[in-house]
Amino acid sequence: MSLSVPSAPGVKSARTRGASAIDFKSATTGVAAKAMRNELNKMVAEVKDPVQRRVFDLEMQSFFSLFNRYLVEKAKHEVIDWEKIQPLAPELVPSYSDLPETNDTSILEKLVVLKLNGGLGTTMGLSGSPKSAIEVRDGMTFLDLSVRQIEHLNEVNKTNVPFILMNSFNTDDETQRIIQKYANHNIQILTFNQSRYPRVGKESLLPVPRSATSDKSQWYPPGHGDIFDAIGNSGLLDKLLEAGKKYMFVSNVDNLGADVDLKILKHLVDSQCEFLAELTDKTKADVKGGTLINYEGTVRLLEIAQVPSEHVEDFKSIRKFKYFNTNSIYIDLEALKRVMDTEGMELDIIINNKIADDGTPVIQLETAMGAAIKHFRNAHGINVPRSRFLPVKACSDLLLITSDLYSLEHGKLVMNPQRMFAQTPVVKLGDTFKKIRDFNKRFRTVPNILELDHLTVSGDVWFGRNITLRGTVIIVANEGSRIDLPDGSILENKLVSGNVSIIDH
């Protein structure tokens, strides 16, 4: 295996008298990299099956490259220079509304659609299941809705756009079982797994697992930026290119607004863009979302974790940064092959601090796929309407998408035309609604929220059937109190407090 520590010119022995702080850090970096390399080599050597060993070897090489970059950047203590950050010029964020209409479906022959399917439904109370298996509307799961969208696309346009799932080691077994039910559908489903990286002891800087078969809690999927290594290592990238596919549309499996759009695809082709990112207008609810910037003449992704603490409020400003990244992207597969074969991907490292089951502090080194934009030619963003960004991260989002705000058309959520405002309501449900099980118990039926602007619910609150919420509604059950809203209640611009008094505000 060719895991080697890149030599650092001018690195002196840690024992050299008078060595500077940077020399000491460089030497320490070299020692840590060598120790990590030795541990990874041992794990690879212990894998007996040659096919499994090759896959594991490629993963560990990718991980080692990331780890070594982490050590070098840590030693240099490089941070982003805020003064060099500029918003993108308007021509680099054309508006979706300005794109010409098109009926040209020929590009669909060259298209594949990929959904990121690596996450579990843990935050919503489904610890062992893929998030894509959560029922979200009319008894259909995220996966059902995605399959229905692609099936409809293929039927209407008499084409065969393949549907790809990037799973993780957490979701693959259950996903393979679930997708069997689509065997007789008009859709070709392909899957591959993102990498499995070892957690790293924060103090030791050594891998937590001791062998390739160590418990899965000692490993992690390294963020969606891993898509490029994973699709290359799996051999799928080459197979897609051999099949004549040129463009890949990637989005989160829980974004119910991210469907195939011919106007965007035509813009992708006409502008000879190798990497296109969907952005949408930032609201106060999105101030922490990543955004595209101009950094020394290059289009870059900027995440809040990269922002110096003294500039966080600037980053959140809607005036300076109007858009945020929806994590829906389009990639030219031929360009991806070129980048991977020549320069490779150097994506900004996201350090995720965690506590292991035994209480040991560990780190996970992750990357975001939007950061790859700097590697591609003619790369830019496109400002899309909010209807293309309908994520379900919590039960507050679930309330919106299961309500009368939307109807379902061929697997796509469509805003009710009777809604007077383009913006969706702001919904904040407290901890008692955090898990799907509790959400379903506390809402006898989902309220009518067509005219709702803002809803905040906190404490032990229970909703009856056929409740209507309008304007701004705040319901707070104080500790020890319980609020039951009777069937058929209509609350418009009301504050409901712990003693069930209803007050206009």
Side-chain angles (χ1 to χ4, degrees):
M1 185 167 88
S2 57
L3 289 182
S4 59
V5 186
S7 58
V11 172
K12 300 177 185 175
S13 163
R15 292 197 191 96
T16 303
R17 186 172 295 174
S20 68
I22 191 66
D23 287 335
F24 175 75
K25 284 180 180 175
S26 298
T28 307
T29 295
V31 170
K34 189 172 183 180
M36 174 63 78
R37 182 199 62 194
N38 291 340
E39 292 295 318
L40 298 177
N41 283 343
K42 275 186 218 167
M43 286 198 281
V44 170
E46 288 169 5
V47 178
K48 300 296 181 226
D49 181 274
V51 176
Q52 289 180 357
R53 189 190 310 127
R54 179 189 167 277
V55 172
F56 185 61
D57 187 3
L58 287 170
E59 284 184 344
M60 291 308 97
Q61 288 188 51
S62 296
F63 167 74
F64 181 74
S65 173
L66 188 66
F67 177 75
N68 201 63
R69 273 205 302 125
Y70 160 72
L71 291 177
V72 171
E73 289 175 16
K74 189 178 169 192
K76 289 181 179 176
H77 195 60
E78 286 182 347
V79 292
I80 200 155
D81 184 344
W82 190 257
E83 301 307 315
K84 294 179 179 177
I85 292 174
Q86 297 295 328
L88 287 187
E91 61 269 20
L92 290 176
V93 195
S95 175
Y96 175 85
S97 59
D98 292 337
L99 300 183
E101 295 293 336
T102 179
N103 294 315
D104 183 4
T105 61
S106 60
I107 188 176
L108 296 177
E109 297 296 327
K110 297 181 177 181
L111 181 71
V112 298
V113 173
L114 186 148
K115 291 285 185 181
L116 303 170
N117 186 46
L120 295 170
T122 312
T123 54
M124 295 171 75
L126 294 177
S127 55
S129 300
K131 190 174 184 182
S132 57
I134 294 174
E135 281 192 12
V136 286
R137 181 93 194 199
D138 301 350
M140 298 178 79
T141 66
F142 288 112
L143 209 47
D144 292 335
L145 295 174
S146 295
V147 167
R148 184 70 198 99
Q149 283 181 18
I150 302 298
E151 220 181 0
H152 178 67
L153 180 78
N154 287 338
E155 286 167 5
V156 169
N157 298 290
K158 297 181 173 51
T159 187
N160 182 24
V161 174
F163 181 55
I164 305 172
L165 292 168
M166 183 172 85
N167 302 330
S168 70
F169 64 88
N170 287 321
T171 63
D172 187 54
D173 288 348
E174 182 70 5
T175 299
Q176 297 298 344
R177 189 183 66 76
I178 291 169
I179 62 177
Q180 290 175 21
K181 70 179 179 179
Y182 307 124
N184 295 323
H185 289 237
N186 177 29
I187 188 167
Q188 179 188 11
I189 301 180
L190 305 168
T191 68
F192 69 101
N193 274 16
Q194 68 183 115
S195 304
R196 185 183 67 137
Y197 283 2
R199 284 178 147 186
V200 177
K202 192 169 185 176
E203 298 304 322
S204 68
L205 293 179
L206 292 172
V208 173
R210 303 306 297 268
S211 79
T213 55
S214 290
D215 187 76
K216 65 159 52 174
S217 67
Q218 299 179 6
W219 304 84
Y220 69 97
H224 39 66
D226 177 59
I227 183 174
F228 309 110
D229 277 333
I231 198 169
N233 290 344
S234 68
L236 183 56
L237 176 58
D238 288 336
K239 287 177 184 172
L240 294 174
L241 289 168
E242 286 165 14
K245 302 302 179 184
K246 180 169 171 61
Y247 302 105
M248 182 165 70
F249 172 41
V250 185
S251 63
N252 295 338
V253 76
D254 67 354
N255 181 0
L256 295 174
D259 67 335
V260 173
D261 187 289
L262 288 175
K263 281 171 61 170
I264 298 177
L265 291 172
K266 180 172 171 52
H267 171 76
L268 183 73
V269 175
D270 291 350
S271 62
Q272 297 184 307
C273 171
E274 293 184 347
F275 191 110
L276 183 67
E278 287 193 27
L279 312 176
T280 196
D281 290 348
K282 193 191 283 189
T283 69
K284 288 182 180 177
D286 317 305
V287 290
K288 293 183 179 179
T291 191
L292 293 186
I293 58 167
N294 178 338
Y295 193 75
E296 297 185 309
T298 304
V299 179
R300 298 274 293 269
L301 175 69
L302 179 65
E303 299 279 8
I304 194 166
Q306 299 167 278
V307 177
S309 55
E310 66 271 23
H311 293 293
V312 166
E313 291 309 311
D314 295 340
F315 174 80
K316 291 179 179 179
S317 165
I318 295 173
R319 282 192 208 92
K320 183 164 185 177
F321 301 110
K322 298 178 185 176
Y323 319 109
F324 76 98
N325 176 34
T326 67
N327 216 41
S328 296
I329 64 168
Y330 304 77
I331 305 171
D332 181 317
L333 294 174
E334 293 170 3
L336 176 59
K337 176 72 173 170
R338 181 195 75 234
V339 170
M340 297 302 288
D341 285 352
T342 54
E343 60 195 277
M345 291 282 181
E346 285 220 348
L347 307 185
D348 298 322
I349 300 170
I350 300 164
I351 302 160
N352 197 346
N353 290 289
K354 297 276 189 179
I355 302 293
D357 293 342
D358 64 359
T360 307
V362 296
I363 55 173
Q364 298 180 177
L365 303 179
E366 303 175 8
T367 56
M369 68 178 182
I373 195 166
K374 64 185 178 184
H375 288 286
F376 293 89
R377 297 167 189 162
N378 297 328
H380 59 272
I382 182 165
N383 183 18
V384 299
R386 191 75 182 201
S387 58
R388 291 192 58 78
F389 183 64
L390 298 172
V392 181
K393 303 296 181 191
C395 287
S396 299
D397 302 317
L398 200 56
L399 177 66
L400 292 171
I401 65 162
T402 53
S403 74
D404 56 343
L405 275 179
Y406 296 101
S407 59
L408 206 52
E409 292 182 10
H410 309 296
K412 185 182 181 185
L413 287 181
V414 179
M415 176 72 82
N416 189 326
Q418 292 178 307
R419 170 77 175 169
M420 300 291 287
F421 317 104
Q423 291 283 16
T424 53
V426 174
V427 174
K428 297 177 180 176
L429 300 179
D431 288 346
T432 51
F433 292 83
K434 198 171 183 180
K435 297 191 174 2
I436 288 180
R437 181 182 66 249
D438 299 325
F439 174 90
N440 290 332
K441 279 195 303 189
R442 289 177 178 275
F443 286 106
R444 296 290 299 278
T445 61
V446 175
N448 303 313
I449 61 172
L450 201 56
E451 297 176 49
L452 180 70
D453 297 323
H454 181 112
L455 172 67
T456 293
V457 183
S458 178
D460 190 8
V461 181
W462 298 77
F463 289 76
R465 296 180 183 278
N466 301 318
I467 287 174
T468 299
L469 305 174
R470 297 176 184 147
T472 296
V473 178
I474 299 171
I475 307 168
V476 180
N478 298 328
E479 198 168 340
S481 303
R482 168 175 168 148
I483 294 177
D484 287 276
L485 298 173
D487 294 355
S489 300
I490 298 175
L491 301 181
E492 183 170 358
N493 294 324
K494 299 293 185 198
L495 168 64
V496 184
S497 69
N499 57 5
V500 202
S501 59
I502 298 181
I503 313 162
D504 280 311
H505 79 286

